[in-house]
Amino acid sequence: MRFRVRHLTRYVYEEPVSLCHSIAHLKLRTRPGQAVASSQVRVDPLPAVSREHTDFFGNRVSYFSIQQSHTSLEVAALSEVEVTPAAPPDLSATPPWEQILEHLHEGHSHATLDARIFTLPSPYVPLLAESVDYARASFAPGRPVLEAVADLMGRIFREFEYDPQFSTVATPLTEVLKHRKGVCQDFAHLALACLRGLGLPARYVSGYLETLPPPGQPKLQGSDASHAWFSLFVPGSGWVDFDPTNDQVPREQHITAAVGRDFQDVTPLRGVFYGGGEHELEIAVDVDRIEG
């Protein structure tokens, strides 16, 4: 399936901004099953400095600096990508989850060594006793690892309410666990805390999810959304994605932008600016299929 992805971010400031420095994780990531034909970021006003680098996690990071007075900022990311998902994994055919722990400690392949960092706590994913207790209901002794992870994903989907008014980026995971509410970012962080608490390597995935209109109705422009899910490392198989917000193993409608330890590593756009006062923020995302 081929897609065209447009992610528009627009700030309108109450007062002029004299200088801003920003980084963006908006250029799509090439990965197994995802081939990026093109990905570019356009900034208005034109930056005085603009460059790109690949970060520690293999993401494409755009940096720009605007050194002229401005009252608005528009960042538009335009990408074309082809997604060819692998066949759904046989959840029950994977090794017991305890065997993954043994391999992590004893394995010396580059993939295994790289995965170890994703067993550690991170700024938005502390290792909590509550999350480990929550995870244990899915991880019975000897249970196949992907079967256990799928069960955990399903429990988060059923037992937590999707509520975009409840949380912000700064809402701690303890509050999400206490109130059983949140959004995709919170559910991904919760799953990561559960898995890392057991010693399993799991990473945060940011990207996009194609949404389809009701039958017979046109698709509204800007109605798609940034999305977040998580991925577990299985030796010999690589990274396997899970979407707890929708209780599904991602297929062709999930498009990956970046991966990291948590949201902080993959923030779509962040930076510092001087001046501006109050500001208005508009974000619009379109994920459209390319026919033919």
Side-chain angles (χ1 to χ4, degrees), residues 214-231:
Q217 295 188 23
K219 183 173 181 177
L220 300 176
Q221 290 299 299
S223 63
D224 293 296
S226 298
H227 194 42
W229 57 98
F230 72 92
S231 189

Side-chain angles (χ1 to χ4, degrees), residues 39-85:
S39 200
Q40 56 184 307
V41 174
R42 300 174 181 172
V43 180
D44 183 26
L46 190 67
V49 179
S50 179
R51 56 178 180 263
E52 179 183 331
H53 70 274
T54 300
D55 69 11
F56 176 82
F57 304 106
N59 304 311
R60 301 171 67 183
V61 182
S62 304
Y63 165 79
F64 62 88
S65 174
I66 299 174
Q67 301 175 9
Q68 66 193 72
S69 179
H70 57 284
T71 56
S72 65
L73 170 65
E74 183 173 293
V75 181
L78 306 170
S79 304
E80 290 192 8
V81 61
E82 183 167 357
V83 180
T84 310

Side-chain angles (χ1 to χ4, degrees), residues 5 37 87 114 254 268 288:
V5 181
D114 289 344
H254 288 71
D288 297 312

